[in-house]
Amino acid sequence: MEKLEKTLEEWRAMLDPEQYNVCRLKGTERPFSGKYNDTKIDGVYHCICCKEPLFDSQTKFDSGCGWPSFYAPLEGSAVVEVRDVSHGMIRTEVVCAKCDAHLGHVFPDGPPPTGLRYCINSVCLDLVPRE
């Protein structure tokens, strides 16, 4: 996959302030505030920054954590996992493989078949409904 690279100024011009804060500055949206937290629409979730497909709605589940949760990303290299030691914690950050946008974190407390919970900020996603 070819990387999409832009300067922070280019990202700031392209994204709204909340998208920029979360995707480029590794912020987070408030729990239970995101537009996709309770969404049940069948489709594919794409990166808001580069439009790369990341997660299928068929892997979405209600974790109760306040953010959209998925038990697996799309097949292939849609996302990359990075060790995150910020805020006095050791976590695994999830970033878009194409543009390095911060998406959220992955935790080992999800349902079968993976046992993983990809906890992703709604503001980082664009849901494209299945036709």
Side-chain angles (χ1 to χ4, degrees):
M1 174 182 306
E2 187 174 328
K3 284 281 193 184
L4 173 65
E5 296 186 26
K6 295 183 182 220
T7 66
L8 285 179
E9 293 76 24
E10 289 172 316
W11 288 120
R12 187 186 308 269
M14 182 186 132
L15 302 169
D16 72 32
E18 187 178 20
Q19 291 167 337
Y20 179 78
N21 180 56
V22 175
C23 296
R24 306 323 307 179
L25 302 180
K26 301 179 187 262
T28 191
E29 64 192 3
R30 288 180 297 109
F32 302 101
S33 69
K35 65 182 177 180
Y36 296 129
N37 185 51
D38 295 320
T39 298
K40 306 286 189 236
I41 296 170
D42 187 35
V44 175
Y45 291 86
H46 294 248
C47 177
I48 198 70
C49 295
C50 69
K51 310 304 180 210
E52 192 69 19
L54 303 173
F55 296 94
D56 192 294
S57 64
Q58 294 178 359
T59 66
K60 189 173 187 276
F61 68 99
D62 183 9
S63 68
C65 71
W67 291 274
S69 297
F70 305 86
Y71 62 76
L74 285 174
E75 293 286 327
S77 57
V79 300
V80 176
E81 297 177 10
V82 180
R83 184 174 179 184
D84 177 3
V85 294
S86 65
H87 306 292
M89 297 179 272
I90 298 174
R91 301 179 290 176
T92 302
E93 178 187 13
V94 179
V95 300
C96 174
K98 183 170 185 176
C99 72
D100 293 327
H102 169 78
L103 303 171
H105 291 86
V106 61
F107 302 96
D109 60 1
T114 66
L116 298 174
R117 173 175 53 98
Y118 287 82
C119 185
I120 307 298
N121 291 281
S122 287
V123 73
C124 302
L125 302 172
D126 182 33
L127 175 58
V128 177
R130 229 182 296 281
E131 295 182 17

